[in-house]
Amino acid sequence: MEEEDSSGGAEALQLSVDRSSPVPLYFQLSQQLEAAIEQGRLAPGSLLGNEIELAGRLGLSRPTVRQAISSLVDKGLLVRRRGVGTQVVHSQVKRPLELSSLYDDLEAAGQRPATRVLRNTTESATAEVAAALGIAEGAEVVLIERLRLAHGEPMAHLRNHLPVGLLKLDSAELEDTGLYRLMRAAGITLHSARQAVGARAATAEEGKQLGEPAGAPLLTMERTTFDDTGRAVEFGSHIYRASRYAFEFQLLVRP
């Protein structure tokens, strides 16, 4: 086992490689760097230095370090800047598929979430919204539209429809915390949800809003949430930057 400090803005970071392990050295290094980025030990903007410096500090060959860095560049976590070196761009949020809000998941991951409320109003329910909430088409529903950010960068565009009269939603409160926290604080017990995950290309407007080019891949998620009485209390239709966001599944074998 060999241990060295990384360079640049990550001088205090301890990295290690085990030459007796069957796991390739480049993969060991890339995994540790990715974990440091995701855990916030390497913040956006941190410099790792160039490949020659890293190779010397870690006692590894330059091709090994280059391969490790390239794998993280491909994931969008690092970027090579001429005259500067290798720099941390951001971490990708890996969200478990469970009944939690994006705000809570970002906060738990140390991502410093922020919210911009774009709309907080009422409108007539479309057929899709009405079917999800179990109400008549054309009935009045609350619409909340938000842009969710992490480290000051846009992560997702969120549209949520709720039954009128369920709870009072203040825009200032929505910018300070997550929707599910406000619902729980109002005495609503969130019990279960039906959710569908997909993907599509970003429109020009969506790309501009999320800081991605038109046609960039987006993850989509639609969720209908039910309380402990079986009542539908929220229908969400969200889009996420695929470069910054991933869903994680835990799969179990049935006995």
Side-chain angles (χ1 to χ4, degrees):
M1 183 80 70
E2 298 181 0
E3 294 190 0
E4 293 286 349
D5 287 345
S6 66
S7 60
E11 294 171 351
L13 183 66
Q14 294 292 318
L15 302 170
S16 64
V17 292
D18 183 357
R19 296 183 183 276
S20 65
S21 170
V23 178
L25 296 179
Y26 88 88
F27 191 70
Q28 293 184 43
L29 177 57
S30 68
Q31 279 194 314
Q32 292 173 72
L33 289 172
E34 182 172 356
I37 294 170
E38 290 183 349
Q39 294 165 9
R41 291 182 287 128
L42 280 176
S46 297
L47 292 172
L48 297 182
N50 61 40
E51 293 168 1
I52 298 176
E53 292 170 340
L54 279 173
R57 288 175 180 268
L58 294 170
L60 297 172
S61 69
R62 188 177 176 186
T64 296
V65 173
R66 183 186 302 120
Q67 192 172 3
I69 289 175
S70 294
S71 68
L72 298 183
V73 170
D74 291 342
K75 289 184 177 183
L77 302 181
L78 298 177
V79 65
R80 293 185 177 97
R81 302 194 187 279
R82 187 179 298 275
V84 176
T86 304
Q87 190 172 27
V88 177
V89 181
H90 48 62
S91 61
Q92 185 182 52
V93 174
K94 295 181 179 178
R95 186 178 182 187
L97 281 179
E98 58 186 38
L99 189 50
S100 61
S101 72
L102 176 57
Y103 189 97
D104 292 341
D105 291 336
L106 289 172
E107 191 173 66
Q111 293 283 330
R112 298 202 308 270
T115 304
R116 293 179 194 161
V117 175
L118 306 177
R119 284 199 289 172
N120 181 2
T121 185
T122 58
E123 66 176 19
S124 298
T126 63
E128 180 185 29
V129 171
L133 294 179
I135 60 176
E137 183 178 353
E140 195 173 58
V141 289
V142 173
L143 166 64
I144 304 163
E145 191 172 346
R146 295 162 294 161
L147 190 65
R148 182 61 44 76
L149 304 95
H151 295 295
E153 286 189 53
M155 289 283 297
H157 180 269
L158 315 175
R159 285 173 57 88
N160 297 82
H161 287 90
L162 298 87
V164 168
L166 183 69
L167 76 163
K168 184 178 180 181
L169 291 169
D170 180 75
S171 293
E173 289 182 323
L174 284 166
E175 293 193 343
D176 284 340
T177 189
L179 174 61
Y180 282 4
R181 287 188 187 179
L182 294 175
M183 294 175 76
R184 291 186 178 103
I188 299 168
T189 301
L190 304 178
H191 179 267
S192 61
R194 183 172 60 245
Q195 179 168 288
V197 176
R200 61 175 174 81
T203 65
E205 182 179 353
E206 290 168 342
K208 182 178 180 181
Q209 203 168 49
L210 294 172
E212 296 279 1
L218 298 177
L219 294 174
T220 66
M221 188 263 284
E222 289 189 351
R223 174 190 284 179
T224 304
T225 305
F226 303 90
D227 67 9
D228 55 349
T229 69
R231 172 184 57 162
V233 293
E234 174 249 349
F235 173 63
S237 180
H238 305 164
I239 56 174
Y240 306 86
R241 296 172 65 182
S243 63
R244 296 292 314 276
Y245 195 88
F247 289 105
E248 286 194 333
F249 298 79
Q250 183 178 17
L251 306 178
L252 302 176
V253 176
R254 291 186 181 275

